[in-house]
Amino acid sequence: MRVLIVNTSERTGGAAVAASRLMEALNNNGVKAKMLVRDKETDRLTVAAVPGQKRMQWCFLWERFVVWMRLHLKREHLFEVDIANCGADITQLPEFQEADVVHLHWINQGMLSLKGIRKILDTGKPVVWTMHDIWPATAICHLTLDCRNFETQCGHCRLLPGGGSANDLSTQVWKRKQRMLSDREITFVACSQWLAGEAQKSGLLKGQKVVNIPNAIDTHVYAPKDQQQARQRVGLPTEGHIILFASQRVTNRNKGMDYLLEACQLLAERHAEIADDITVAILGGHAEEIEGQLPFRTCPLGYVNDEQRIVDIYNAADVFVLPSLSENLPNTIMEAMACGVPSVGFRIGGIPEEIDHQQNGYVADYRNSEDLAQGIWWTLYEADHEAVRKACLQKVAHNYSQQSVANRYLEVYESLHHHYNL
């Protein structure tokens, strides 16, 4: 069986990482899988770039320009809205024509248009679409937060000037997505049970199949290492406890750095004796902007794309904290757990599916800095570290290993293969 995985980027972003790992998992389990991307970043033979890079750049700019105009020339929300009004036609490419199954992932920002997806569906090839956020089930947004309009029909969008209207951009794109899906079938895969539940409530996806399969991780790469040696390799203190925070851009408010700052302040006020014991390591772009805001020693590590160094950073930590305000199934928590490092996060999205409370980490009440501080304290000073470490590794091996995830996707592909009589 030949599977074509389609994603905007090869490596940049959580969806790209997940799609790339799935390709490797499938190839390691008897499936011939390739990736087709707009942004090719390595020389891997199994990854192809969409030809016509100038046109692809034009598609990206044109979509942003249209969105910018609809936002009344304001930058706020500019990259929170996607309308897929321009993109590549991949149906004539050899990679597409030789594929038995077309597997879409994150295809925004000029990769595919709604018309392009409809053209893919019209070829009659079975299509699987892994949802890395809620966009395929809404009109224009990737995060619904408190909005439930997508359960009936998008309109009066919170991201548009003045809260939108009954026939605003979100309503128009909703109707275009309806036409795209009309009389066509896609098997949607949500990476978390939470997202699957949200997708099944979408008025847009009525009649479509939605299943839940988590992302895969290579447990040969993300694995426990000697903590002291890992700390030395990445230049972190060899003494004391290390709290790790990671995000592509650490100043992204959605990732919850403000809550980590508050939680650390609470810990410092209540436990003065730990002031010299704790270091906060910050992995991601703009990390240096946080230095000086924390009551503990801070080590900004910046943006890192070397996988072995990232593995060392996880292994150097005693706890990984991700107080995100909205998440699907974060790769970062999975990566930390695969290295035997417990995580602390809020009870939101797919996070409670990854973290088993007080077994392999701590699930704090949503937007509750006090409980977040308690979770960090419990993990560092109260938990049975060896038992927690073993629970992390067992959870990853059972749920997120390459073989486990590949087998579940194979079941989906085989059912489609039978349904389409291929």
Side-chain angles (χ1 to χ4, degrees):
M1 183 181 294
R2 296 176 183 269
V3 176
L4 180 64
I5 293 171
V6 184
N7 197 73
T8 300
S9 171
E10 179 183 357
R11 293 183 64 185
T12 302
V17 170
S20 182
R21 287 175 180 169
L22 177 60
M23 178 186 68
E24 293 172 4
L26 292 172
N27 282 323
N28 290 337
N29 285 273
V31 176
K32 294 181 179 179
K34 287 185 178 179
M35 268 182 88
L36 180 66
V37 300
R38 183 192 70 187
D39 304 328
K40 182 172 166 63
E41 299 162 86
T42 72
D43 57 2
R44 287 189 296 179
L45 298 177
T46 51
V47 180
V50 176
Q53 287 297 301
K54 285 187 177 180
R55 184 183 183 281
M56 296 301 292
Q57 182 67 15
W58 182 88
C59 282
F60 167 75
L61 293 173
W62 173 244
E63 183 186 27
R64 287 310 103 198
F65 176 75
V66 173
V67 171
W68 184 58
M69 293 294 288
R70 293 300 193 104
L71 294 176
H72 297 175
L73 312 186
K74 294 180 179 177
R75 289 184 58 85
E76 187 181 11
H77 306 314
L78 181 58
F79 287 94
E80 296 175 54
V81 170
D82 275 300
I83 60 175
N85 63 333
C86 189
D89 176 6
I90 67 171
T91 59
Q92 300 305 310
L93 299 180
E95 291 87 0
F96 179 89
Q97 294 183 350
E98 70 183 17
D100 297 309
V101 176
V102 179
H103 192 155
L104 308 181
H105 282 254
W106 201 87
I107 46 75
N108 297 111
Q109 297 191 358
M111 177 63 186
L112 295 181
S113 66
L114 299 182
K115 286 184 179 178
I117 296 172
R118 175 69 184 198
K119 195 167 184 179
I120 290 169
L121 294 170
D122 286 344
T123 65
K125 288 181 182 284
V127 175
V128 177
W129 193 344
T130 291
M131 301 173 61
H132 295 278
D133 56 41
I134 196 70
W135 186 83
T138 69
I140 63 176
C141 73
H142 296 270
L143 297 175
T144 54
L145 297 180
D146 296 327
C147 177
R148 307 306 299 175
N149 292 349
F150 73 97
E151 294 183 7
T152 50
Q153 177 179 297
C154 286
H156 299 284
C157 182
R158 64 181 176 83
L159 298 176
L160 299 176
S165 65
N167 191 38
D168 61 17
L169 179 64
S170 69
T171 309
Q172 294 163 26
V173 175
W174 177 278
K175 291 176 179 177
R176 289 175 206 154
K177 284 188 172 182
Q178 279 186 319
R179 290 195 292 272
M180 176 189 79
L181 292 169
S182 177
D183 301 319
R184 294 291 182 269
E185 292 180 358
I186 296 179
T187 298
F188 289 91
V189 177
C191 300
S192 67
Q193 296 169 21
W194 166 79
L195 186 58
E198 292 292 277
Q200 286 162 351
K201 296 172 187 172
S202 169
L204 193 62
L205 302 191
K206 281 182 179 175
Q208 301 290 342
K209 185 177 182 180
V210 180
V211 298
N212 164 228
I213 303 176
N215 295 330
I217 189 168
D218 188 344
T219 50
H220 298 292
V221 175
Y222 289 86
K225 293 185 177 182
D226 181 271
Q227 188 182 69
Q228 290 299 305
Q229 292 178 11
R231 289 184 177 191
Q232 289 171 0
R233 284 193 292 268
V234 298
L236 288 171
T238 55
E239 300 296 324
H241 288 98
I242 292 179
I243 298 170
L244 174 64
F245 175 91
S247 174
Q248 191 170 345
R249 180 169 58 86
V250 302
T251 52
N252 179 353
R253 295 182 70 86
N254 186 56
K255 295 299 180 181
M257 174 54 78
D258 289 346
Y259 289 91
L260 178 59
L261 293 174
E262 289 179 17
C264 286
Q265 195 63 48
L266 288 169
L267 286 171
E269 290 171 1
R270 294 171 184 174
H271 305 282
E273 73 279 6
I274 66 172
D276 296 327
D277 180 58
I278 289 183
T279 298
V280 180
I282 304 173
L283 174 62
H286 303 272
E288 68 285 349
E289 296 178 25
I290 307 301
E291 200 168 10
Q293 297 184 44
L294 284 151
F296 303 124
R297 183 191 303 112
T298 308
C299 290
L301 301 172
Y303 181 78
V304 176
N305 59 12
D306 178 80
E307 195 167 47
Q308 289 301 328
R309 183 171 173 82
I310 291 171
V311 171
D312 276 336
I313 291 169
Y314 281 122
N315 274 281
D318 295 289
V319 61
F320 174 64
V321 182
L322 186 66
S324 290
L325 305 185
S326 179
E327 282 289 355
N328 181 12
L329 197 79
N331 288 328
T332 48
I333 288 179
M334 193 184 303
E335 290 164 357
M337 289 172 61
C339 296
V341 178
S343 297
V344 178
F346 285 140
R347 188 175 287 104
I348 188 70
I351 288 177
E353 297 169 35
E354 292 181 291
I355 303 174
D356 300 313
H357 186 57
Q358 293 191 323
Q359 293 180 42
N360 56 31
Y362 191 100
V363 182
D365 292 337
Y366 187 52
R367 292 180 182 261
N368 188 327
S369 300
E370 184 118 6
D371 202 23
L372 190 70
Q374 176 57 33
I376 296 169
W377 177 263
W378 178 85
T379 308
L380 292 181
Y381 299 106
E382 294 180 357
D384 181 332
H385 295 150
E386 187 58 29
V388 169
R389 178 179 174 277
K390 286 181 179 178
C392 285
L393 299 176
Q394 287 171 356
K395 181 68 176 274
V396 170
H398 187 263
N399 292 277
Y400 311 129
S401 68
Q402 282 193 342
Q403 186 164 356
S404 171
V405 173
N407 286 341
R408 293 176 69 177
Y409 269 111
L410 276 169
E411 290 177 8
V412 172
Y413 299 151
E414 291 291 350
S415 67
L416 289 171
H417 203 267
H418 177 73
H419 180 71
Y420 283 77
N421 295 315
L422 296 176

